[in-house]
Amino acid sequence: MAAGFHVLLQGFLGLLLLCALSWTEGGKVLVIPIEGSHWLSMRDVTKELHARGHQIVVVAPDVSLHIKGEDFFTLKTYAFPSTDQGYKQQMMENINLVFETGNSVKTFFKTSEALKEISASLLTSCKNLLYNETLIWQLNSSSFDVVLTDPVFPCGAVLAKYLHIPAVFFLRYIPCGIDYEATQCPNPPSYIPSLLTRLSDHMDFLQRTTNMLYPLALKYLCHVSFSPYGSLASELWQREVSLVEVLSHASVWLFRGDFVFDYPRPIMPNMVFIGGINCAIRKPLSQVCIELFNQSIFYAEYIF
């Protein structure tokens, strides 16, 4: 109990470090990102942390579409089991699959196979990181204050727990409700619609039943994607370790969501919603939008 409280306290101190004023002494932040829009959102955060005086080290695969070296962080790389061309081709095939129309069952199995391939590549790259003795020694000796990572790629969570560094998770959501399990947060299916169901928070009996059964397909996909990281963690600690145990190491969860767009749900004290944080570049409204807004105000005043 005391050990758990100590880890949680360390995490909150790490979060305070991230929010420290510019005149305070900066801390060391280890960032373990994942490719795509996940990194594009996290990149803005790392840039702001650097502007506030923190030292940022980003650890990423040596093959990537978006994660490149920049002047506001130090980039350290590890081997990825693919060439640049092969990786780009794999990503394009996956993108085309998302927009494919046709038999839903056939599409599901195609998606499953594609997910298995990319998951296998990511798992191999994670092993290349965790078993890179030189890189792990460098990271361990650097005395990082906090690990900032997206748990959709659980490798960062495994590394944070392995190095005994407080972790801050930066994410949109994790499919299959693993985030609920890891945070021990209630997830009542009676009024919280499951992902992609298009249900509302007011459901009849059949809709609630659908809401409970629908995630079973996602459970299979998540088992393919995430369960190997529990096995990988078990190899490192030489004991049985589940992915939920690994993710529960997180001290703070930063969700890129907001109850303006998402249905309200129970949250734990260490869960913080930061929706809109990736919308730093703002553009002025067009004249058409302004006119429509003015008209809506006029009609509202007329009605009431």
Side-chain angles (χ1 to χ4, degrees):
M1 183 72 177
F5 176 77
H6 181 67
V7 171
L8 182 61
L9 180 60
Q10 280 186 323
F12 279 115
L13 290 176
L15 181 62
L16 291 176
L17 173 65
L18 297 181
C19 302
L21 298 175
S22 58
W23 50 264
T24 61
E25 182 180 357
K28 293 184 176 180
V29 182
L30 175 61
V31 180
I32 313 294
I34 186 173
E35 184 66 88
S37 60
H38 304 269
W39 163 244
L40 297 179
S41 298
M42 189 179 287
R43 177 186 175 277
D44 293 335
V45 175
T46 59
K47 190 173 184 178
E48 180 63 26
L49 289 173
H50 175 266
R52 294 182 179 225
H54 302 293
Q55 300 178 41
I56 312 296
V57 175
V58 175
V59 177
D62 55 7
V63 174
S64 175
L65 297 179
H66 301 287
I67 308 173
K68 308 297 181 183
E70 301 193 53
D71 58 359
F72 57 88
F73 63 79
T74 300
L75 179 63
K76 294 182 180 293
T77 61
Y78 54 92
F80 187 81
S82 179
T83 62
D84 281 321
Q85 186 62 33
Y87 181 64
K88 289 179 181 178
Q89 181 178 352
Q90 187 179 38
M91 288 296 100
M92 289 305 301
E93 290 176 355
N94 292 341
I95 291 173
N96 293 333
L97 185 60
V98 171
F99 296 100
E100 185 174 307
T101 58
N103 186 284
S104 57
V105 176
K106 186 177 180 180
T107 301
F108 173 78
F109 283 108
K110 279 187 177 181
T111 303
S112 300
E113 289 303 315
L115 189 60
K116 285 180 182 179
E117 291 181 10
I118 189 63
S119 297
S121 298
L122 291 174
L123 180 64
T124 301
S125 71
C126 183
K127 291 180 179 179
N128 292 340
L129 166 60
L130 295 174
Y131 288 105
N132 186 328
E133 296 182 1
T134 302
L135 180 55
I136 293 297
W137 180 85
Q138 291 176 354
L139 298 177
N140 199 26
S141 60
S142 296
S143 301
F144 287 101
D145 297 290
V146 67
V147 172
L148 179 65
T149 186
D150 190 326
V152 170
F153 178 44
C155 193
V158 175
L159 180 63
K161 186 173 175 63
Y162 183 59
L163 297 179
H164 303 287
I165 304 175
V168 174
F169 287 170
F170 182 86
L171 70 158
R172 182 63 178 89
Y173 59 84
I174 304 180
C176 321
I178 301 178
D179 49 346
Y180 289 98
E181 296 181 54
T183 55
Q184 299 184 25
C185 184
N187 181 25
S190 57
Y191 74 93
I192 300 182
S194 299
L195 179 68
L196 303 178
T197 58
R198 299 184 179 181
L199 296 173
S200 72
D201 56 340
H202 292 78
M203 294 176 273
D204 57 30
F205 176 76
L206 290 178
Q207 289 174 329
R208 291 181 185 183
T209 303
T210 301
N211 196 46
M212 295 184 67
L213 296 177
Y214 188 85
L216 293 180
L218 291 178
K219 287 280 187 182
Y220 169 75
L221 296 178
C222 287
H223 176 75
V224 172
S225 303
F226 295 132
S227 61
Y229 292 93
S231 302
L232 181 57
S234 300
E235 292 178 13
L236 292 174
W237 281 282
Q238 295 298 305
R239 65 177 179 85
E240 190 66 28
V241 179
S242 68
L243 181 60
V244 171
E245 180 181 345
V246 173
L247 296 180
S248 65
H249 173 72
S251 300
V252 180
W253 294 67
L254 302 177
F255 287 92
R256 297 194 310 275
D258 193 284
F259 288 156
V260 173
F261 298 104
D262 302 321
Y263 287 109
R265 68 178 218 186
I267 60 173
M268 303 301 279
N270 63 337
M271 299 167 68
V272 183
F273 285 83
I274 55 171
I277 196 172
N278 55 330
C279 301
I281 303 176
R282 301 175 180 86
K283 296 182 180 180
L285 290 174
S286 67
Q287 192 61 39
V288 174
C289 291
I290 294 174
E291 289 297 327
L292 289 174
F293 176 76
N294 291 335
Q295 289 179 21
S296 65
I297 294 296
F298 171 78
Y299 288 128
E301 292 177 346
Y302 177 78
I303 292 172
F304 293 104

